[in-house]
Amino acid sequence: EKAIEITASKIEYIYFYDEEKRLLYTHAWSRHVMEECRVMEPELIYELDKTGLWGEAVRQRKPIITNDYSAANEWKKGLPEGHVHLVRHMNTPIFQGGKIVALIGVGNKESDYDEYDINLLNLLMSNAFSKVTRFEMEKKLRASEAKLRLMFEYAPYGIAEADEAGRFIRVNHAFREILGYETGELIGKTIKEITVEEDYEKDMELLGKLIKGEHQQYSIEKRYIRKDGTITWVNLVVAEIKGTNEAERTVMGIVQDINEKKAAEAALKDYQKELEKQVEERTAESQRINEELNLFFNSTLDMLCVAGMDGYFKRISPTWSKVLGWSTEEMLAEPFLSFIHPEDQAETVRKANDLS
């Protein structure tokens, strides 16, 4: 009704417009129109191409003033039966971002409409749509913030935000679960209070570099102290959140429980130690056997030997040299058949083949 007031009109209407679909959607008619309108089934959605004079402001993308509605006009397509009687009419498109978003019209002013009325309507709708746009933006912002809060609270990994003094500002469900705390119990506590002492110094060193801008984020594997006093391993990734001023700067950490990983690493280390122990034991056993074998070979009075399938001695006891007069080096360098009587060589070869 504000447009009626500022233009001294009798009727007013507002349509929203979709430029892509070229459709006009009824938003509002003034009370006077609703009282006088006798159209049986008024349309709520109009195709721009099928509209008459009142749609011309959208087609021409400018205000249209008709101070004698009864006069002949090439843009008219007639009014439906029961439509409010029109004496004068003026409407203007409303733009946002270069697009027409609405159409506002007034009618039946006692005197002629002019440029001043157009400026009043444009100013009115500009302010109105600014408020609508701001309201929609605030509505979307609230919805977005609500989604972010849900995502933060129910993320599958722990998330914690702390100020530059290391005090927790907010923590999510997963973070509380990792540390065994209830809602609200961690707020105000410091990073130091829940960190194993040996890990705290390294964490703070990296945090200091982050705040100084030496890096964008850092990652560290560290130990937290749970509420019940037990220790839990986590992988922590930390980034800085910069506010509009220095006082609003905070840090946010994403925490992943890595107890299973650490347990697997510990089990692997234990397994490696056990393997090393077994290797040492087997090496010692092998050395012991070799020493016993050497002792046996060197002290026996029998002619013991180890021969390969290539026909050469690999090892012989000292008794061979004593009996045959050849040195050990000489006997290892010659085929062992060289040391066998010619009449026995064929039988020796046959026996060797049976062994292979």
Side-chain angles (χ1 to χ4, degrees), residues 61 68 72 121 175 351:
R61 304 178 74 82
D68 184 2
L121 275 187
F175 189 80
K351 293 290 186 183

Side-chain angles (χ1 to χ4, degrees), residues 200-244:
Y200 178 73
E201 188 174 326
K202 179 62 176 177
D203 194 5
M204 289 301 101
E205 178 185 343
L206 293 171
L207 181 60
K209 291 181 179 179
L210 177 72
I211 293 172
K212 290 177 182 177
E214 294 183 21
H215 45 221
Q216 297 283 320
Q217 64 176 49
Y218 70 86
S219 176
I220 184 176
E221 289 186 353
K222 61 177 289 187
R223 290 164 292 176
Y224 278 137
I225 305 169
R226 288 171 51 84
K227 182 180 178 180
D228 61 9
T230 58
I231 303 301
T232 186
W233 275 99
V234 300
N235 181 72
L236 172 66
V237 178
V238 180
E240 184 180 19
I241 302 175
K242 295 182 179 179
T244 55

Side-chain angles (χ1 to χ4, degrees), residues 39-315:
V39 177
M40 296 301 294
E41 295 182 1
E43 294 183 42
L44 298 177
I45 302 175
Y46 294 86
E47 295 180 39
L48 177 64
D49 296 335
K50 294 181 180 181
T51 61
L53 175 60
W54 70 279
E56 203 60 33
V58 176
R59 283 190 286 271
Q60 295 191 35
R61 304 178 74 82
K62 66 178 185 179
I64 300 292
I65 295 176
T66 308
N67 280 318
D68 184 2
Y69 205 85
S70 62
N73 191 306
E74 61 178 319
W75 297 330
K76 285 184 179 180
K77 291 187 178 180
L79 297 174
E81 185 178 349
H83 194 280
V84 174
H85 177 67
L86 291 174
V87 178
R88 294 179 180 82
H89 176 262
M90 178 188 77
N91 62 0
T92 182
I94 306 303
F95 291 86
Q96 269 199 338
K99 290 185 177 182
I100 296 176
V101 295
L103 175 69
I104 182 170
V106 291
N108 294 348
K109 181 182 178 181
E110 293 294 335
S111 58
D112 286 351
Y113 289 109
D114 55 25
E115 193 72 24
Y116 181 70
D117 294 309
I118 291 173
N119 291 336
L120 287 176
L121 275 187
N122 283 331
L123 181 61
L124 171 68
M125 294 309 294
S126 176
N127 289 334
F129 266 87
S130 293
K131 290 179 180 179
V132 170
T133 301
R134 185 166 61 251
F135 174 79
E136 289 297 323
M137 289 178 63
E138 290 174 352
K139 183 179 177 181
K140 288 179 181 178
L141 180 60
R142 287 193 297 270
S144 178
E145 288 175 343
K147 288 179 182 178
L148 285 174
R149 283 195 297 271
L150 283 174
M151 291 172 63
F152 176 89
E153 180 63 20
Y154 297 107
Y157 38 78
I159 307 177
E161 186 177 0
D163 59 25
E164 290 189 354
R167 292 185 181 86
F168 290 111
I169 299 170
R170 58 176 180 151
V171 298
N172 73 344
H173 177 76
F175 189 80
R176 295 192 297 270
E177 284 285 304
I178 290 171
L179 290 168
Y181 283 87
E182 299 296 328
T183 303
E185 291 182 335
L186 280 167
I187 305 303
K189 282 187 175 293
T190 64
I191 296 171
K192 185 175 184 178
E193 289 179 79
I194 63 167
T195 301
V196 171
E197 186 176 351
E198 292 84 349
D199 298 340
Y200 178 73
E201 188 174 326
K202 179 62 176 177
D203 194 5
M204 289 301 101
E205 178 185 343
L206 293 171
L207 181 60
K209 291 181 179 179
L210 177 72
I211 293 172
K212 290 177 182 177
E214 294 183 21
H215 45 221
Q216 297 283 320
Q217 64 176 49
Y218 70 86
S219 176
I220 184 176
E221 289 186 353
K222 61 177 289 187
R223 290 164 292 176
Y224 278 137
I225 305 169
R226 288 171 51 84
K227 182 180 178 180
D228 61 9
T230 58
I231 303 301
T232 186
W233 275 99
V234 300
N235 181 72
L236 172 66
V237 178
V238 180
E240 184 180 19
I241 302 175
K242 295 182 179 179
T244 55
N245 56 62
E246 290 292 320
E248 295 179 358
R249 292 171 66 180
T250 61
V251 291
M252 182 169 285
I254 298 177
V255 175
Q256 183 181 8
D257 186 323
I258 58 170
N259 281 307
E260 290 186 4
K261 174 190 172 185
K262 286 297 181 179
E265 289 177 353
L268 180 60
K269 285 182 180 179
D270 290 342
Y271 179 66
Q272 289 174 334
K273 287 181 180 179
E274 181 62 27
L275 285 180
E276 290 172 358
K277 180 181 177 183
Q278 291 180 12
V279 169
E280 290 176 357
E281 290 175 349
R282 290 177 182 177
T283 300
E285 178 66 14
S286 177
Q287 290 175 344
R288 184 187 63 78
I289 292 173
N290 283 335
E291 289 174 358
E292 290 181 355
L293 185 60
N294 288 335
L295 178 62
F296 178 68
F297 255 83
N298 293 329
S299 61
T300 184
L301 298 177
D302 295 324
M303 296 175 68
L304 298 179
C305 70
V306 177
M309 299 308 296
D310 58 357
Y312 285 81
F313 287 123
K314 303 302 178 184
R315 186 172 186 177

Side-chain angles (χ1 to χ4, degrees), residues 1 11-15 26-31 33-34 83:
E1 302 288 332
I11 64 173
E12 173 194 0
Y13 62 82
I14 300 175
Y15 284 85
T26 303
H27 175 66
W29 280 90
S30 61
R31 179 174 52 83
V33 172
M34 300 306 294
H83 194 280

